[in-house]
C-alpha cells in the first residue's frame, strides 16, 4: 500500500514545520537558560559578599531609582530565595530543553524514514 504523493508531501511539510518550531524553541530556551544561570552567578557572588560583612554594617537594597536601608539578614534571606527560585526555573527549562531536543530529533528521524521508504 502506497501513500499518494500529495499526502506524503503534506505529511513531510507538517513534520518539517514541527522540527523548525522545535529548533526555534530550543534556541529560545537556551538563551533563557544562559540568562538565568548568569543571574544565579551574580546573586551567589552578592550573597558571598554580604555574608563576609559584619552584622553592624549598613546594607541598602535598590528599590526603583532609590536605595533603602535593609537589615543584613533580610538581604541574605531575599538573595537565598531568589537563588532558589532561579534554580527551580533552570531545572524546568532543562526539562523543556530535553523535551524539545527529543521532539526535534524525532521529527528529523521521521522525515529521513519517509524519504528512505519512498526511495525503495
Amino acid at each position: 500500500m502506497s501513500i499518494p504523493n500529495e499526502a506524503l508531501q503534506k505529511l513531510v511539510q507538517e513534520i518539517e514545520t514541527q522540527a523548525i518550531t522545535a529548533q526555534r524553541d530550543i534556541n529560545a530556551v537556551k538563551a533563557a537558560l544562559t540568562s538565568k544561570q548568569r543571574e544565579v552567578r551574580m546573586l551567589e557572588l552578592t550573597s558571598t559578599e554580604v555574608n563576609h560583612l559584619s552584622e553592624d554594617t549598613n546594607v541598602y537594597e535598590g528599590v526603583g531609582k532609590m536605595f533603602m536601608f535593609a537589615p543584613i539578614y533580610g538581604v541574605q534571606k531575599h538573595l537565598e530565595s531568589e537563588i532558589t527560585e532561579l534554580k527551580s526555573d533552570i531545572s524546568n527549562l532543562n526539562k523543556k530543553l530535553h523535551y524539545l531536543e527529543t521532539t526535534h530529533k524525532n521529527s528529523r528521524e521521521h522525515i529521513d524514514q519517509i524519504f528512505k521508504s519512498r526511495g525503495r
Side-chain angles (χ1 to χ4, degrees):
M1 185 170 122
S2 177
I3 300 175
N5 279 342
E6 298 83 31
L8 194 58
Q9 285 177 336
K10 186 175 180 181
L11 180 63
V12 168
Q13 280 181 327
E14 287 176 13
I15 295 172
E16 184 69 25
T17 302
Q18 185 180 21
I20 291 169
T21 302
Q23 185 62 48
R24 186 181 62 239
D25 291 347
I26 286 170
N27 292 337
V29 168
K30 284 182 179 179
L33 264 172
T34 303
S35 173
K36 299 274 186 192
Q37 289 168 340
R38 185 180 321 111
E39 286 181 52
V40 166
R41 283 193 307 271
M42 288 189 324
L43 287 171
E44 286 174 342
L45 176 63
T46 304
S47 180
T48 302
E49 294 295 322
V50 169
N51 287 335
H52 291 312
L53 298 174
S54 64
E55 290 294 321
D56 58 343
T57 305
N58 290 337
V59 180
Y60 297 87
E61 277 191 293
V63 180
K65 291 185 176 182
M66 60 187 247
F67 294 94
M68 294 186 62
F69 175 75
I72 200 163
Y73 64 90
V75 172
Q76 290 170 332
K77 287 199 179 292
H78 178 72
L79 290 171
E80 288 172 9
S81 69
E82 281 190 51
I83 289 170
T84 303
E85 182 180 329
L86 284 171
K87 285 185 177 182
S88 172
D89 290 347
I90 288 171
S91 174
N92 291 336
L93 285 171
N94 279 324
K95 290 175 187 173
K96 185 174 182 179
L97 180 63
H98 177 69
Y99 168 77
L100 290 169
E101 286 174 340
T102 303
T103 300
H104 183 263
K105 182 180 136 245
N106 288 341
S107 296
R108 288 292 170 199
E109 287 175 357
H110 287 122
I111 289 172
D112 291 343
Q113 187 178 24
I114 289 171
F115 286 133
K116 284 178 185 176
S117 68
R118 191 66 178 163
R120 291 181 188 171

